[in-house]
Amino acid sequence: MERISHFELSSIAQTEHFGQTLGRLLFPGAVIALVGPLGAGKTFLTRAIAQGLGIDDPALVTSPTFVLIQEYKARWPIYHFDVYRLKQGSGFTDLGAAEYFAGEGVSIIEWADKVMPLLPREHLRIELLVSGDQARQALVTAYGERYDQLLNQLSEVLPKIR
Ligand SMILES: Nc1ncnc2c1ncn2[C@@H]1O[C@H](COP(=O)(O)OP(=O)(O)OP(=O)(O)O)[C@@H](O)[C@H]1O
Ligand SMILES: [Mg+2]
C-alpha cells in the first residue's frame, strides 16, 4: 500500500526546513528517491537532508558532472547518487547500489526514475515540481510500513506546508 502527501515549498527557506526536518527523522538504511526536472532542487534538498543528518559541512553536498556517487560523513554515512548521466540501469548495479542500500547509511538518489526497478521496494519517493521562480511542490510517496510512519511524522511536524 502506498500513500502520497503534498507539501508546498514556496521559498528556498521552506525547502531547507522541509529537508532538515526529514533528515532528522531518517533511520539507518533509509532510501530516498528524488525525481524532478533540471533545476527542480534535488541537490538543494539533498544538502538540507544532509544537514538534518548532522553533516559538518553542507557545502560538500554537490553533484559534480560524471561523479555518480559521493559519500559524506554524518550521523550515519550518506550515499548521494546522481544517476542523470547513467546510460543503463546496469551501471547502477555496477556501482554496487544494492550493497549501499543494504548498509547502515542513508541513500539519496537524484534522477531516481532512471533506476526505479533497481531501487528497494520500500523507500520514500519525493517528486519535486517547479511551480514558480522560488516555488516548488513536493509530492511524497511512502512505499512500505516504515516509510508510511516516516511520512506521518513528517506531516505532523510540518502541518503548515501541507
Ligand atoms: N523553493 C525552492 N526549493 C529549492 N530550490 C529552489 C527553490 N527556489 C529556488 N530554488 C533554486 O533552484 C535551484 C535548484 O538547483 P538544484 O541544483 O538543487 O536542482 P537539481 O534538481 O539538483 O538540478 P539537476 O537536475 O541539475 O541535478 C537552486 O539554484 C535553488 O536556489
Ligand atoms: Mg542535482
Side-chain angles (χ1 to χ4, degrees):
M1 214 183 64
E2 67 194 55
R3 204 163 64 78
I4 306 188
S5 290
H6 172 242
F7 297 84
E8 288 277 341
L9 312 174
S10 27
S11 64
I12 55 171
Q14 277 195 341
T15 303
E16 264 175 347
H17 183 51
F18 172 78
Q20 290 173 7
T21 305
L22 173 59
R24 283 193 292 271
L25 294 171
L26 289 178
F27 43 84
V31 176
I32 308 291
L34 299 182
V35 177
L38 280 167
K42 300 177 295 295
T43 303
F44 191 89
L45 180 58
T46 302
R47 193 174 299 126
I49 295 170
Q51 284 178 286
L53 282 164
I55 195 172
D56 277 341
D57 182 6
L60 290 173
V61 181
T62 57
S63 282
T65 321
F66 301 120
V67 179
L68 293 173
I69 174 161
Q70 295 193 98
E71 190 169 337
Y72 318 114
K73 238 180 85 191
R75 188 170 313 129
W76 303 291
I78 301 171
Y79 314 127
H80 176 200
F81 298 82
D82 187 332
V83 298
Y84 180 64
R85 279 166 202 285
L86 210 62
K87 299 240 162 43
Q88 287 169 343
S90 59
F92 194 57
T93 311
D94 296 341
L95 276 178
E99 283 80 6
Y100 285 110
F101 297 153
E104 281 281 284
V106 169
S107 299
I108 305 176
I109 307 106
E110 295 194 43
W111 294 98
D113 42 344
K114 295 187 101 181
V115 293
M116 227 31 121
L118 299 170
L119 296 183
R121 197 183 62 77
E122 303 210 340
H123 64 270
L124 194 75
R125 173 192 164 99
I126 304 179
E127 181 170 4
L128 290 174
L129 307 174
V130 180
S131 48
D133 210 21
Q134 300 291 306
R136 306 290 187 266
Q137 316 277 320
L139 297 181
V140 187
T141 315
Y143 296 93
E145 176 79 24
R146 280 191 97 179
Y147 294 91
D148 210 45
Q149 284 173 18
L150 174 65
L151 186 48
N152 275 332
Q153 288 176 301
L154 192 62
S155 304
E156 274 168 29
V157 185
L158 297 173
K160 290 207 195 71
I161 59 172
R162 277 216 48 210

